[in-house]
Amino acid sequence: MNAPIGIFDSGLGGLTVAAALRERLPHEDLVYLGDTARVPYGTRSPATIVRYARNNVAFLRKQGVKMVVVACNTVSAQGLDGLTDGGDVPVIGVIRPGARAALEVSSGGPIAVLGTPGTIRSGAYVQAIHEHAPDREVLPIACPLFVPLVEEGWVDHPVTAMVAREYLAPLKGSGVDTVILGCTHYPLLRETIGRIATEITGHPVALVDSAHAVARDVEALLVRTRLARDPSASGGRRFCVTDAPERAGDVAARFWGESLPPMEHVDVMVSPL
Ligand code: DGL
């Protein structure tokens, strides 16, 4: 089926998931929506997060997408039910794939989850890990300052390293062997988080994000639902933001891994379909 795959995040972090989709499914058309006018979501109430997410899904459905990828842990953590208002477009989130990926690489020790306050408060990662490994110790850590630092482009900045040292302090003596980067913004901080986690624990720590696991699940779902596109096609991409497209350029390119065509400015403040 030729319709595009819709992907959204509160901001630009979800481009890390879109990039994994581009890599795995280069023939699929992608429409990315970053709700940059309302980022961050992670510090807001569950009701507000769900309301924003419903606007985003409604917008993507109007673009004729065949599937919606919620490339935002904070939204995925609130549950995906009810986002489509009963529509028949499949919706896939990032929490379960991320939890599974962590269990695949962990050697059995405790797993730390870094996320926004909304994601951590929901307990969604703990639940997803315990579905597969009920006795596994999980150490959830809310990191509210990481998203604004990344959106600002401060990925290699000393201030970011200081903040990371503060957030990762509970890893000391915890036995944690795997850290889930439970926010689509955090892969940009991979190097800083990895370095400081190793410094604090005194041993190497595996860092896991859900982007590649999600891409794998999307491929499987496309096949299962017979929505996959002919693999000889060449995929088109559209990038939409809800605020100041001209400000998105540099940071967006870091997430996407290469330069992007100009972003479209869109309005998602429509009532859900
Ligand atoms: N990138 C989003 C996530 O994966 C959240 C960022 C935010 O809006 O707080 O959780």
Side-chain angles (χ1 to χ4, degrees):
M1 184 183 184
N2 282 340
I5 297 172
I7 305 149
F8 80 87
D9 180 32
S10 55
L12 302 171
L15 285 167
T16 54
V17 176
L21 287 170
R22 172 195 67 198
E23 219 172 89
R24 188 159 193 116
L25 304 165
H27 51 285
E28 294 285 352
D29 285 346
L30 307 177
V31 180
Y32 182 85
L33 169 65
D35 190 9
T36 50
R38 301 188 290 190
V39 69
Y41 284 9
T43 44
R44 299 187 197 276
S45 69
T48 299
I49 295 166
V50 170
R51 183 158 48 86
Y52 288 177
R54 284 163 63 96
N55 294 151
N56 297 340
V57 172
F59 169 82
L60 288 172
R61 285 180 66 200
K62 284 191 175 159
Q63 313 311 305
V65 301
K66 59 185 173 186
M67 177 182 292
V68 172
V69 179
V70 180
C72 176
N73 291 262
T74 307
V75 173
S76 304
Q78 312 306 318
L80 305 174
D81 296 341
L83 288 187
T84 58
D85 257 336
D88 54 3
V89 176
V91 178
I92 190 164
V94 288
I95 303 273
R96 281 159 180 261
R100 266 197 342 259
L103 286 166
E104 275 165 27
V105 305
S106 164
S107 45
I111 295 176
V113 181
L114 311 184
T116 65
T119 298
I120 298 304
R121 189 181 51 224
S122 74
Y125 267 108
V126 180
Q127 205 182 322
I129 291 169
H130 285 168
E131 270 172 28
H132 299 281
D135 300 325
R136 186 63 64 95
E137 201 182 316
V138 184
L139 181 63
I141 304 175
C143 307
L145 293 175
F146 277 167
V147 168
L149 287 167
V150 170
E151 291 273 331
E152 200 51 47
W154 283 22
V155 296
D156 304 316
H157 199 283
V159 166
T160 309
M162 263 169 71
V163 170
R165 207 162 272 124
E166 196 71 32
Y167 286 150
L168 297 176
L171 261 54
K172 194 171 176 61
S174 64
V176 160
D177 64 21
T178 304
V179 173
I180 298 180
L181 304 177
C183 171
T184 51
H185 284 67
Y186 299 176
L188 263 74
L189 301 178
R190 180 178 280 277
E191 214 183 286
T192 305
I193 292 173
R195 178 167 45 80
I196 291 170
T198 302
E199 205 178 286
I200 289 176
T201 59
H203 56 76
V205 171
L207 300 186
V208 170
D209 70 71
S210 30
H212 292 282
V214 171
R216 207 165 59 196
D217 283 11
V218 167
E219 184 176 35
L221 187 60
L222 287 173
V223 171
R224 205 165 59 241
T225 52
R226 296 175 193 281
L227 291 173
R229 190 182 192 194
D230 173 359
S232 64
S234 108
R237 289 92 180 66
R238 267 181 74 197
F239 299 95
C240 307
V241 284
T242 53
D243 192 30
E246 66 287 354
R247 283 203 63 220
D250 285 355
V251 180
R254 287 203 192 206
F255 284 116
W256 178 245
E258 53 190 62
S259 60
L260 300 88
M263 299 231 173
E264 296 170 41
H265 186 198
V266 300
D267 183 2
V268 296
M269 300 290 284
V270 287
S271 40
L273 293 176

